[in-house]
């Protein structure tokens, strides 16, 4: 039985010629075969065969590891019920696993010394979600009709040296799928793709397969860019796909020319329906957009989200490989930089590149600024925010916007420095330097970022700016009034209403209003403690990001049969000190 199982799972690994060939030249090699089982008779699943060429086990003797959960989203977390099977050149290899609760990692080691190549086989099973599933990072494997969509990070256990460059092979075997099944990943659309990249590229892999999977535009007209979505009966994609695809392609082309002018890479976007959410997740060479047709999305919100996810393709700081840092510190550092820089460029770049009207641009700057100053979490430090980010929606969003102010400040300090000394770098220049280091496999963490900033502004200012952004506390980070003069805008202080939903954000998960705040606008809008949330037409982040946005819900009072719509302004009655674009630039 076991042997039979092995033969079934290892079909593509019997002749690992291409991997051996390159591995002999010194680069470690890994080769993966995805065999989706989508024959319509059983639950969709993904069989994975993974070959590690003569793996060097880490100092702690771990062979492979996989996060147990990413934020509040469980991964595949293979266990004794759904084990990872292994063999090496000597035959069957028994693996044992042990969890590292602090780093939220499951780690596997071999129970005897390894000889030669290791072949692993395991089965990834799609996560079942419903309307009650809390919203979290969009990395889990899910089934859509007779299809699958997922990300490497939650599916692939990998050797721990994800920062090392590997010869990576990814192949697809469609022998267990229905006719007309197509597949795609952020690596490409060929049966086998080979890539020389950091192992991390496999974590940042996003993929989809299915016979209802659609590609837009057709491959013949657009070999390098595509939008993929599932067409299922009785299910509506609430976007005009050609328009959306065209828009994303144009943004990507322009952003790509801005960040890496000399490189052209394929880019693949994946849509996935959700039981209730609207949002995105950025990957390498692609992103995922999640939608629910009942969530009301404005054009500007959608455009802003798309720009944010596309920017994630480039400027990345990575601190997670630094062993001297606790997991939570590394997460806090990665989050403020990566989300902050994505928010910053999503706000500024479309306008700077001539892709957005001035009116939309000003609206986006104002939205981003108020999102920080009116956030109930505004005084948390980045580490405090990282600790609670998946239980506290305000804490999750805080680093996005406080860091945006940090980058606005930094861009202006660099500008002033250049005005005085007649030379020096721009913020774009520093970001490109970090990006170049990442591309060349060099360290690209906070230490490097701070040394880049210090080189321009001195260590004192670099440290002061960083501390003011990261430490939270009562003092808010404020932009310089003239910091946006280069786009002909003046900033000024303004009183604005604090975000106040008026009930617990966890009510969106339980679908029952709890902790209703007396005298809040929510209460004045007829919401009662214990009301059932039949439908949320607005996501919490939409009202958090936009001072002018109402929360719209379809509710039912307890004991009543009929449902009713409400729309209210989820803001407190007291105002806070905020910063906004002044209506008119003073002369
Ligand atoms: C293995 O994981 C599955 C899915 O999370 C779970 O249902 C099962 O109970 C686990 N088995 C063991 C022995 O922990
Ligand atoms: C790890 O982080 C510490 C603290 O920030 C820093 O001093 C050190 O240089 C980093 N080490 C590496 C290898 O990045
Ligand atoms: C709620 O509003 C929607 C439009 O947003 C409308 O289609 C629906 O009929 C309304 N429901 C009730 C019960 O008023
Ligand atoms: C927004 O909510 C306020 C009450 O808080 C209400 O007066 C207003 O009509 C709502 N606007 C829309 C567009 O529904
Ligand atoms: Zn993001």
């Amino acid at each position: 039985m076991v042997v039979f199982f092995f033969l079934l799972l290892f079909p593509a690994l019997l002749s690992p010629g291409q991997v051996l060939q390159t591995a002999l030249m010194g680069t470690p090699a890994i080769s993966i075969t995805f065999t989706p089982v989508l024959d319509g008779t059983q639950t969709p699943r993904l069989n994975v065969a993974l070959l590690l060429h003569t793996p060097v086990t880490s100092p702690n003797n771990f062979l492979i590891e996989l996060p147990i959960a990413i934020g509040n989203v469980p991964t595949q977390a293979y266990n004794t019920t759904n084990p990872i099977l292994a063999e090496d050149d000597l035959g069957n290899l028994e693996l044992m696993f042990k969890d590292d609760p602090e780093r939220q990692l499951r780690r596997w080691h071999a129970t005897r010394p390894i000889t030669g190549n290791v072949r692993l086989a395991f089965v990834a099973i799609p996560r079942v979600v419903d309307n009650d599933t809390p919203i979290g990072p969009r990395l889990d494997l899910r089934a859509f009709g007779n299809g699958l969509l997922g990300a490497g990070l939650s599916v692939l256990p990998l050797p721990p040296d994800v920062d090392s460059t590997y010869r990576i092979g990814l192949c697809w075997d469609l022998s267990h799928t229905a006719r007309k099944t197509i597949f795609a990943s952020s690596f490409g659309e060929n049966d086998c793709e080979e890539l020389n990249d950091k192992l991390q590229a496999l974590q940042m892999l996003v993929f989809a397969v299915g016979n209802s999977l659609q590609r837009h535009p057709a491959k013949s007209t657009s070999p390098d860019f595509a939008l993929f979505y599932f067409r299922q009966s009785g299910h509506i994609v609430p976007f005009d796909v050609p328009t959306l695809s065209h828009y994303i392609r144009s943004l990507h082309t322009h952003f790509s020319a801005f960040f890496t002018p000399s490189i052209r890479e394929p880019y693949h976007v994946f849509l996935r329906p959700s039981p209730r959410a609207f949002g995105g997740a950025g990957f390498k060479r692609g992103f995922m957009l999640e939608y629910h047709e009942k969530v009301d999305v404005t054009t500007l919100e959608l455009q802003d989200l798309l720009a944010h996810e596309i920017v994630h393709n480039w400027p990345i700081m990575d601190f997670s490989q630094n062993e001297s840092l606790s997991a939570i510190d590394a997460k806090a550092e990665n989050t403020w930089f990566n989300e902050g820089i994505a928010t910053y460029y999503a706000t500024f770049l479309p306008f700077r590149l001539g892709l957005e009207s001035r009116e939309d641009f000003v609206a986006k700057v104002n939205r981003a600024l108020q999102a920080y100053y009116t956030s109930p979490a505004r005084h948390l430090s980045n580490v405090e925010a990282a600790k609670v980010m998946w239980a506290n929606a305000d804490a999750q969003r805080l680093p996005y916007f406080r860091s945006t102010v940090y980058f606005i400040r930094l861009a202006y300090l660099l500008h002033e420095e250049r005005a005085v000394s007649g030379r020096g770098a721009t913020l774009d220049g520093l970001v490109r330097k970090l990006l170049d280091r990442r591309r060349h496999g060099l360290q690209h963490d906070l230490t490097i970022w701070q040394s880049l900033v210090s080189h321009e502004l001195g260590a004192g200012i670099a440290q002061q700016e960083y501390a003011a952004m990261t430490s939270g506390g009562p003092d808010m980070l404020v932009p310089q009034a003239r910091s946006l003069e280069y786009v002909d805008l003046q900033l000024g202080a303004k009183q604005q209403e604090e975000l106040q939903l008026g009930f617990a954000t966890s009510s969106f998960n339980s679908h029952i209003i709890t902790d209703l705040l007396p005298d809040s606008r929510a209460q004045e809008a007829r919401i009662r403690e214990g009301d059932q949330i039949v439908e949320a037409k607005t996501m919490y982040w939409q009202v958090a990001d936009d001072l002018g946005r109402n929360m719209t819900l379809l509710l039912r009072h307890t004991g009543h049969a009929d449902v009713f719509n409400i729309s209210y302004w989820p803001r407190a009655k007291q105002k806070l000190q905020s910063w906004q674009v002044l209506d008119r630039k003073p002369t």
Side-chain angles (χ1 to χ4, degrees):
M1 184 62 212
V2 171
V3 173
F4 177 68
F5 196 43
F6 261 73
L7 285 177
L8 248 187
L9 288 168
F10 287 138
L13 292 178
L14 298 173
S15 53
Q18 69 207 58
V19 175
L20 276 172
Q21 192 189 329
T22 45
L24 287 173
M25 289 151 68
T27 317
I30 186 168
S31 122
I32 290 168
T33 301
F34 282 160
T35 306
V37 181
L38 300 168
D39 53 17
T41 65
Q42 43 194 329
T43 334
R45 59 175 199 263
L46 182 67
N47 288 353
V48 184
L50 191 155
L51 183 142
L52 291 172
H53 186 281
T54 54
V56 184
T57 47
S58 71
N60 311 326
N61 282 323
F62 296 120
L63 183 63
I64 45 169
E65 63 185 22
L66 179 74
I68 303 162
I70 299 146
N72 57 358
V73 173
T75 67
Q76 289 297 317
Y78 309 100
N79 58 16
T80 46
T81 318
N82 182 22
I84 296 178
L85 303 177
E87 59 177 30
D88 66 1
D89 290 358
L90 296 182
N92 188 40
L93 181 70
E94 202 190 327
L95 299 184
M96 305 269 276
F97 67 81
K98 208 174 149 184
D99 290 348
D100 175 342
E102 204 241 317
R103 290 188 179 262
Q104 286 259 58
L105 285 172
R106 180 157 294 175
R107 291 174 152 146
W108 286 262
H109 63 270
T111 50
R112 64 164 170 80
I114 291 166
T115 303
N117 301 331
V118 174
R119 287 168 286 274
L120 306 170
F122 45 90
V123 182
I125 298 160
R127 181 182 184 215
V128 177
V129 295
D130 61 22
N131 196 21
D132 297 334
T133 309
I135 294 157
R138 295 164 174 95
L139 297 160
D140 43 353
L141 182 71
R142 293 196 186 170
F144 300 100
N146 204 19
L148 293 166
L149 189 153
L153 191 58
S154 72
V155 166
L156 297 173
L158 294 171
D161 58 334
V162 292
D163 253 354
S164 308
T165 299
Y166 272 68
R167 189 78 180 172
I168 302 171
L170 175 66
C171 298
W172 288 82
D173 172 355
L174 294 190
S175 59
H176 291 69
T177 63
R179 279 179 58 241
K180 295 193 175 166
T181 295
I182 68 162
F183 66 87
S185 80
S186 45
F187 276 27
E189 296 168 84
N190 296 315
D191 288 348
C192 282
E193 297 282 353
E194 262 205 53
L195 212 64
N196 244 330
D197 204 339
K198 288 184 168 196
L199 201 48
Q200 231 168 30
L202 278 172
Q203 297 181 315
M204 299 314 285
L205 173 78
V206 53
F207 59 87
V209 55
N211 61 355
S212 64
L213 192 64
Q214 311 289 312
R215 185 194 205 276
H216 193 280
K219 209 167 178 172
S220 53
T221 60
S222 172
D224 285 343
F225 173 86
L227 179 77
F228 292 91
Y229 63 101
F230 292 97
R231 190 168 59 199
Q232 292 170 258
S233 58
H235 173 86
I236 316 144
V237 178
F239 306 108
D240 178 52
V241 170
T243 309
L244 181 69
S245 168
H246 184 265
Y247 182 80
I248 296 171
R249 183 183 189 175
S250 160
L251 266 193
H252 175 261
T253 305
H254 285 90
F255 285 12
S256 176
F258 173 82
F259 285 112
T260 50
S262 59
I263 297 173
R264 281 191 63 93
E265 285 184 327
Y267 199 71
H268 291 155
V269 180
F270 298 85
L271 304 192
R272 93 175 183 189
S274 153
R276 67 181 167 107
F278 163 58
F283 293 90
K284 196 167 182 183
R285 303 205 285 174
F287 71 90
M288 184 201 297
L289 176 68
E290 182 178 76
Y291 61 86
H292 179 61
E293 71 272 16
K294 292 286 166 55
V295 176
D296 167 43
V297 178
T298 68
T299 305
L300 201 60
E301 277 166 349
L302 179 62
Q303 291 178 347
D304 197 19
L305 178 79
L306 297 173
H308 177 104
E309 303 306 344
I310 296 170
V311 174
H312 273 319
N313 196 37
W314 296 285
I316 296 278
M317 181 166 98
D318 186 8
F319 221 0
S320 51
Q321 295 306 302
N322 189 321
E323 293 291 330
S324 73
L325 232 68
S326 74
I328 196 73
D329 286 344
K331 184 169 159 188
E333 300 301 356
N334 290 340
T335 303
W336 79 256
F337 186 90
N338 297 334
E339 296 305 344
I341 203 75
T343 306
Y344 174 81
Y345 278 120
T347 308
F348 286 86
L349 214 44
F351 177 68
R352 283 175 52 191
L353 299 177
L355 305 170
E356 187 174 68
S357 73
R358 185 167 195 85
E359 191 189 356
D360 283 354
F361 168 59
V362 170
K364 280 165 63 181
V365 172
N366 280 336
R367 286 170 39 154
L369 290 172
Q370 72 77 33
Y372 166 46
Y373 296 106
T374 70
S375 165
R378 63 193 173 279
H379 298 308
L380 294 184
S381 71
N382 281 340
V383 170
E384 287 164 345
K387 280 182 186 156
V388 298
M389 66 188 281
W390 294 112
N392 177 333
D394 298 313
Q396 194 232 331
R397 301 291 287 173
L398 175 68
Y400 290 53
F401 300 105
R402 183 165 53 202
S403 315
T404 298
V405 177
Y406 164 86
F407 288 118
I408 289 174
R409 286 185 57 83
L410 207 57
Y412 188 64
L413 291 172
L414 292 164
H415 163 83
E416 282 188 312
E417 181 61 31
R418 288 194 308 278
V420 171
S421 68
R423 53 183 188 81
T426 58
L427 179 65
D428 297 342
L430 296 190
V431 167
R432 286 200 190 97
K433 273 188 190 167
L434 194 73
L435 183 56
D436 258 6
R437 294 186 59 91
R438 177 189 178 211
R439 285 218 330 273
H440 292 108
L442 300 168
Q443 190 182 341
H444 53 287
D445 59 12
L446 179 66
T447 317
I448 298 296
W449 177 252
Q450 284 298 81
S451 72
L452 290 173
V453 178
S454 299
H455 185 258
E456 304 299 322
L457 301 175
I461 290 184
Q463 180 53 30
Q464 193 181 312
E465 290 296 314
Y466 166 74
M469 176 272 304
T470 204
S471 59
D475 294 333
M476 301 294 284
L477 195 63
V478 301
Q480 307 91 336
R482 300 173 59 181
S483 53
L484 300 186
E485 260 180 3
Y486 75 103
V487 277
D488 211 20
L489 296 178
Q490 187 85 6
L491 295 178
K494 187 170 180 181
Q495 299 286 309
Q496 292 187 308
E497 291 79 0
E498 185 177 17
L499 176 64
Q500 186 184 77
L501 185 63
F503 53 87
T505 50
S506 61
S507 305
F508 291 119
N509 294 337
S510 62
H511 303 285
I512 301 293
I513 300 283
T514 53
D515 300 340
L516 184 72
L517 198 66
D519 301 323
S520 62
R521 289 194 163 93
Q523 193 195 37
E524 287 168 5
R526 293 205 291 144
I527 301 181
R528 292 190 208 152
E529 183 80 12
D531 280 355
Q532 184 195 350
I533 302 179
V534 180
E535 232 166 60
K537 295 179 186 174
T538 322
M539 304 279 299
Y540 184 62
W541 68 260
Q542 292 175 290
V543 296
D545 287 11
D546 184 353
L547 183 88
R549 201 116 166 50
N550 273 11
M551 173 56 71
T552 305
L553 303 168
L554 186 66
L555 295 178
R556 181 186 282 126
H557 286 321
T558 30
H560 287 66
D562 30 319
V563 294
F564 59 98
N565 286 310
I566 57 138
S567 179
Y568 73 102
W569 193 44
R571 296 280 160 168
K573 290 173 188 166
Q574 307 85 333
K575 293 184 178 186
L576 299 164
Q577 170 95 326
S578 175
W579 283 75
Q580 294 281 280
V581 172
L582 295 181
D583 289 342
R584 190 167 275 282
K585 194 185 162 200
T587 45

